[in-house]
Amino acid sequence: MTNLELIKSISNPSPSKIVLVVIDGLGGLPSPETGKTELETANTPNLDRLASWGICGLTDPVSPGITPGSAPGHLALFGYDPVTFTIGRGVLEAIGIDFDLQPGDVAARANFCTVDETGLIADRRAGRISTEKCTELCQLLDGLVIDETRIIVCPVREHRFVIVFRGEGLNAEVSDSDPQQVGVAPKPITALNAEADRSAAIANQFVARAKTTLAERYPANMILLRGFSRLPQWPTMGEIYKLKAAAIASYPMYRGLAKLVGMEIMDTGTSIEDELATLKKNYTNYDFFFLHIKGTDAAGEDGDFDRKVRIIEQIDTALSELISIEPDVIVVTGDHSTPALLKGHSWHPVPILLYSKWCRPDRVSEFSESACLSGGLGRLPATKVMPLAMANALKLTKFGA
Amino acid sequence: MTNLELIKSISNPSPSKIVLVVIDGLGGLPSPETGKTELETANTPNLDRLASWGICGLTDPVSPGITPGSAPGHLALFGYDPVTFTIGRGVLEAIGIDFDLQPGDVAARANFCTVDETGLIADRRAGRISTEKCTELCQLLDGLVIDETRIIVCPVREHRFVIVFRGEGLNAEVSDSDPQQVGVAPKPITALNAEADRSAAIANQFVARAKTTLAERYPANMILLRGFSRLPQWPTMGEIYKLKAAAIASYPMYRGLAKLVGMEIMDTGTSIEDELATLKKNYTNYDFFFLHIKGTDAAGEDGDFDRKVRIIEQIDTALSELISIEPDVIVVTGDHSTPALLKGHSWHPVPILLYSKWCRPDRVSEFSESACLSGGLGRLPATKVMPLAMANALKLTKFGA
């Protein structure tokens, strides 16, 4: 029995409410000057209050030493083992631009690239053309119909775009055209099983048409495709946890990930206050809320220690609103660490606090990496967060008699 | 995807250097007089310095409560799950005497034993004959050729020796002759699959020849064989971690274990200073160094608390040399605990410290069992040590996008 099957077998609907606040890239590293991390530097009276009422710890999103991408980090928090539940590159790219992928669609991640006069790849990223240029070129390629399959082409950023093949009987089991190196020709797309022959042919025809269309568009005179994939068919959070789950996130990627596990997506604004207002507005209609805050990760990626501190303080202020609503369970954590010092995601474990009437409080009275070290949750895989939240909401019955 | 497959998929070569110092049997138990373990009793300014700069914790080599042998203890530290990656008894015995086992060889662990006039086993260890006697008897048995298979016989210690069958088409899937009890006859060796018939026949012929040769050599008038096995075919550390790995160990067993996972074996002397000189000499040519120190385990096995303390202090002094080289990552730990009070390996978790520029330091400022309890690494499976070292050396990319 997998972990999800176990939870599914003992979960029950109930009126109690769970709020999972994901502060993206929350964990940090100490500033060499002060010896304090971003979270330790920030003045966070509300988080500290929750920490002292509740129980704290540190999570490993994947496992010790592994730096997670956004998808594995979130799937783990939703209770889905990120090593088992993987998402194709094409689907992830489509999700990241809020593309409304349908069950039959096949999505591919694509690059504009430069080929020389003999057709060999000279630059896999076409000199990183501007997003505006990318948008213009995508319009040239968008809307073709090949063998009753509609091909939708959407810009992402710089040289990156998404291709979605929409029609009957498509199959994603085809190889990449992107050889991931320069000095060679793009590879023909081949079927990886017999059912994928037609899909490979359609993709190859599309590439040929694109080559003609782009012939005079140096440096973006060719395209490279990879990561053909379809929406995964996973058990939903409704099925597993019997929850009516709502996602409140201002960035497409996180709305997309939430949709993959069956959450309903709430319209919301871009600020933390907007997101909390959305939560309040929808509070009676759902019993689980995933609230995602992006600013911390962006500041960490930029190496901006002080901005990350300020955003944590803004979140803290806004949280007084959440506390006043009195959800049965509040969890505050991150999907991974993004230390400003490393300017990127990292492998360091992530602080977590869980507050409910039924948690067994520890002696931690401050929400910080170092205080969480001695917390009652200890160090735990992030996939255990949902079972703990469910238990604290009294939504799980006994396992075994 | 297994843990090793995951790491392999995200590891990259880089110039950064990792040094893994294994102090064999490092963990201990407190002396009833002082309440302090061997490590807590020792004066260790350098280890304490590393602990205060770095991050500490406790490892479980196999899992809580399990006392590991040397092989599982080391394999776990190299990142190989010791319950999955097992080594046959014959191979292990050959490795332990620095025997240069070849890929086609079949090795068996053997005992001289005593049989009575009816052929029943009276003593499985032939009264623990001396190592000199064992060596003399091995020479009598060594060098036979049966069915084009050369049989190499090497003494180990007391009644123990190794038999290596070398030739074409051998198969290790044969049963033991050792019934592991007295009062019964040695068992005929039988093939466990059809391909092993010839190998079983060769082994039985060898046993018959040995019986004749030893007839007048009471108490060592017969032999018992067990653990027929071949060199395992495992992914190497080079393949998994993309490391150029060097092993520095003065005892054969540890060189042999390192060789099994693809490390290159450095010539070195017997003292800690010799080993560190070897490291310095080879420092530019490798990016991973496994440095093994045996003395602590031997002192623990002898029940010599004070000697174990003294050896830890010698190691500490020598480590100032290692610190001055400034490797990117230093890990100091043991393969298991060997408390002098228990005079043997034990199940107690093992102190670990990891120092790198990118670790998130904790408040531990002393390298000891009790201080490590509140360390930032928490309590972790020893198989996570390599992923953590790799992460801290910035040799792992993100998992998932």
Side-chain angles (χ1 to χ4, degrees):
Chain A
M1 185 149 60
T2 66
N3 198 42
L4 288 186
E5 286 164 352
L6 191 158
I7 300 295
K8 187 178 175 180
S9 73
I10 57 173
S11 63
N12 284 299
S14 84
S16 60
K17 290 182 193 288
I18 301 170
V19 178
L20 170 65
V21 180
V22 178
I23 304 178
D24 204 306
L26 174 62
L29 279 176
S31 146
E33 285 92 56
T34 65
K36 290 182 170 187
T37 67
E38 298 89 326
L39 180 58
E40 287 161 6
T41 305
N43 177 35
T44 55
N46 288 314
L47 287 166
D48 295 346
R49 209 151 44 113
L50 285 172
S52 88
W53 296 340
I55 183 166
C56 290
L58 289 161
T59 67
D60 286 296
V62 182
S63 69
I66 309 301
T67 296
S70 295
H74 277 82
L75 291 175
L77 285 176
F78 302 154
Y80 296 68
D81 174 7
V83 178
T84 306
F85 292 87
T86 55
I87 304 171
R89 204 70 191 75
V91 168
L92 203 63
E93 206 74 7
I95 281 174
I97 56 166
D98 242 347
F99 186 90
D100 189 23
L101 218 51
Q102 301 298 311
D105 294 349
V106 169
R109 152 87 195 261
N111 277 12
F112 287 105
C113 71
T114 312
V115 291
D116 64 20
E117 61 282 2
T118 64
L120 305 185
I121 301 167
D123 181 345
R124 283 186 59 251
R125 297 179 184 83
R128 290 192 184 275
I129 52 169
S130 70
T131 303
E132 292 68 36
K133 185 51 123 182
C134 179
T135 305
E136 180 197 327
L137 296 174
C138 283
Q139 282 164 0
L140 293 179
L141 302 180
D142 183 44
L144 279 177
V145 176
I146 298 175
D147 192 8
E148 295 180 350
T149 300
R150 192 170 149 230
I151 294 147
I152 308 162
V153 179
C154 301
V156 176
R157 201 154 52 92
E158 297 176 337
H159 57 285
R160 288 162 50 183
F161 63 104
V162 177
I163 306 174
V164 176
F165 298 84
R166 179 167 290 172
E168 295 297 311
L170 295 174
N171 193 303
E173 297 297 307
V174 301
S175 66
D176 296 349
S177 81
D178 188 347
Q180 307 248 13
Q181 53 178 311
V182 295
V184 298
K187 296 189 292 182
I189 293 156
T190 58
L192 301 176
N193 65 41
E195 288 80 53
D197 282 339
R198 178 171 158 262
S199 299
I202 294 169
N204 281 319
Q205 283 179 53
F206 175 74
V207 172
R209 297 275 287 268
K211 189 175 183 183
T212 308
T213 305
L214 299 171
E216 304 302 315
R217 298 286 176 161
Y218 178 91
N221 60 1
M222 186 48 174
I223 62 173
L224 296 174
L225 278 62
R226 60 186 163 110
F228 287 84
S229 45
R230 305 171 72 146
L231 274 182
Q233 300 291 310
W234 293 340
T236 65
M237 287 185 79
E239 289 159 4
I240 297 161
Y241 302 115
K242 326 286 180 338
L243 290 171
K244 202 156 179 304
I248 303 169
S250 61
Y251 271 61
M253 172 66 82
Y254 310 97
R255 290 195 292 268
L257 290 168
K259 213 154 73 175
L260 285 184
V261 295
M263 291 192 220
E264 286 182 51
I265 312 303
M266 307 291 103
D267 274 334
T268 192
T270 55
S271 73
I272 307 158
E273 292 75 15
D274 291 339
E275 294 194 344
L276 279 166
T278 304
L279 187 145
K280 277 184 86 165
K281 197 176 128 201
N282 293 281
Y283 195 65
T284 52
N285 299 326
Y286 297 88
D287 51 12
F288 176 87
F289 299 86
F290 155 53
L291 200 146
H292 180 266
I293 300 160
K294 179 69 179 172
T296 34
D297 179 59
E301 296 254 11
D302 290 347
D304 193 335
F305 191 99
D306 296 339
R307 191 170 105 229
K308 192 171 163 192
V309 171
R310 277 200 311 278
I311 296 169
I312 293 171
E313 291 180 342
Q314 284 165 19
I315 297 167
D316 186 82
T317 304
L319 283 182
S320 69
E321 185 79 14
L322 177 64
I323 295 170
S324 70
I325 305 173
E326 298 186 3
D328 300 271
V329 179
I330 299 176
V331 177
V332 182
T333 188
D335 55 338
H336 53 73
S337 294
T338 307
L341 260 72
L342 278 170
K343 296 187 181 180
H345 294 195
S346 79
W347 63 91
H348 301 90
V350 188
I352 179 170
L353 73 78
L354 183 153
Y355 165 72
S356 93
K357 196 173 158 186
W358 304 115
C359 67
R360 184 193 284 157
D362 50 30
R363 289 168 186 171
V364 176
S365 58
E366 179 199 320
F367 192 47
S368 73
E369 288 87 345
S370 49
C372 284
L373 258 179
S374 52
L377 291 174
R379 184 159 171 174
L380 75 166
T383 50
K384 302 302 179 194
V385 171
M386 274 303 297
L388 281 166
M390 291 286 291
N392 276 277
L394 305 183
K395 289 180 191 287
L396 297 181
T397 58
K398 209 157 52 174
F399 171 68
Chain B
M1 182 150 59
T2 66
N3 199 42
L4 288 186
E5 285 165 350
L6 192 157
I7 299 294
K8 188 178 174 179
S9 74
I10 57 173
S11 62
N12 284 300
S14 83
S16 59
K17 290 182 193 287
I18 301 170
V19 179
L20 169 65
V21 180
V22 178
I23 304 178
D24 204 306
L26 174 63
L29 278 175
S31 147
E33 284 93 55
T34 64
K36 290 182 170 186
T37 67
E38 299 90 325
L39 179 58
E40 286 161 7
T41 306
N43 177 33
T44 55
N46 287 313
L47 287 166
D48 295 346
R49 210 152 43 115
L50 285 172
S52 88
W53 296 338
I55 184 165
C56 290
L58 289 160
T59 67
D60 286 295
V62 182
S63 65
I66 309 301
T67 296
S70 296
H74 277 82
L75 290 176
L77 286 176
F78 302 153
Y80 295 69
D81 175 5
V83 178
T84 306
F85 291 87
T86 56
I87 304 171
R89 203 70 191 76
V91 168
L92 203 62
E93 207 74 8
I95 280 174
I97 56 166
D98 242 347
F99 186 91
D100 189 24
L101 217 53
Q102 301 298 311
D105 294 349
V106 169
R109 153 84 195 261
N111 276 13
F112 288 106
C113 70
T114 311
V115 291
D116 64 19
E117 60 283 4
T118 65
L120 304 186
I121 302 166
D123 182 344
R124 284 186 58 252
R125 295 179 185 83
R128 288 192 185 275
I129 53 169
S130 68
T131 302
E132 292 69 35
K133 183 53 120 182
C134 178
T135 305
E136 180 196 327
L137 295 174
C138 282
Q139 283 165 0
L140 294 179
L141 302 180
D142 182 46
L144 279 177
V145 176
I146 299 175
D147 191 8
E148 295 181 347
T149 300
R150 191 170 149 228
I151 294 145
I152 309 163
V153 179
C154 301
V156 176
R157 200 155 52 93
E158 297 176 338
H159 56 285
R160 288 162 51 183
F161 63 104
V162 178
I163 305 173
V164 176
F165 298 85
R166 180 168 288 172
E168 295 295 312
L170 295 175
N171 193 302
E173 298 297 308
V174 300
S175 66
D176 294 351
S177 80
D178 187 348
Q180 305 250 14
Q181 54 177 311
V182 295
V184 298
K187 297 189 293 183
I189 293 156
T190 58
L192 301 176
N193 66 41
E195 287 80 53
D197 283 339
R198 178 172 159 261
S199 298
I202 294 169
N204 281 319
Q205 283 179 55
F206 174 74
V207 172
R209 297 276 287 266
K211 189 175 183 184
T212 308
T213 306
L214 299 172
E216 303 303 315
R217 298 284 176 163
Y218 178 91
N221 60 1
M222 186 48 176
I223 62 173
L224 296 174
L225 279 62
R226 60 188 165 108
F228 287 84
S229 45
R230 304 171 72 145
L231 274 183
Q233 300 290 311
W234 293 341
T236 65
M237 287 185 79
E239 288 160 3
I240 298 162
Y241 303 113
K242 324 285 178 341
L243 289 171
K244 203 159 179 302
I248 304 170
S250 61
Y251 271 60
M253 171 67 81
Y254 310 98
R255 289 195 291 268
L257 289 169
K259 213 154 73 175
L260 285 184
V261 295
M263 290 192 219
E264 285 181 52
I265 312 302
M266 308 288 104
D267 274 333
T268 192
T270 54
S271 73
I272 307 159
E273 292 75 16
D274 290 340
E275 294 194 344
L276 279 166
T278 304
L279 186 145
K280 276 184 87 165
K281 198 177 127 199
N282 292 282
Y283 194 65
T284 52
N285 298 327
Y286 298 87
D287 50 14
F288 176 87
F289 298 87
F290 155 53
L291 198 145
H292 180 266
I293 300 161
K294 178 70 179 171
T296 34
D297 179 59
E301 296 254 11
D302 291 346
D304 193 337
F305 191 100
D306 296 340
R307 192 170 104 230
K308 193 171 163 193
V309 171
R310 278 200 310 279
I311 295 169
I312 292 171
E313 291 181 341
Q314 284 165 20
I315 296 168
D316 185 82
T317 304
L319 283 182
S320 69
E321 185 78 13
L322 176 64
I323 296 171
S324 71
I325 304 173
E326 299 185 4
D328 299 271
V329 179
I330 299 177
V331 177
V332 183
T333 188
D335 53 339
H336 52 74
S337 294
T338 306
L341 260 71
L342 279 171
K343 297 188 179 178
H345 294 194
S346 79
W347 63 92
H348 302 89
V350 188
I352 179 170
L353 73 78
L354 183 152
Y355 165 72
S356 93
K357 195 174 159 186
W358 303 114
C359 67
R360 184 193 282 159
D362 50 32
R363 287 166 187 172
V364 175
S365 59
E366 178 199 320
F367 192 47
S368 72
E369 287 87 345
S370 50
C372 283
L373 261 179
S374 52
L377 290 174
R379 183 159 170 172
L380 75 164
T383 49
K384 301 301 178 194
V385 171
M386 276 302 298
L388 280 166
M390 290 285 293
N392 276 277
L394 304 184
K395 289 179 191 287
L396 297 181
T397 58
K398 214 160 45 174
F399 170 68

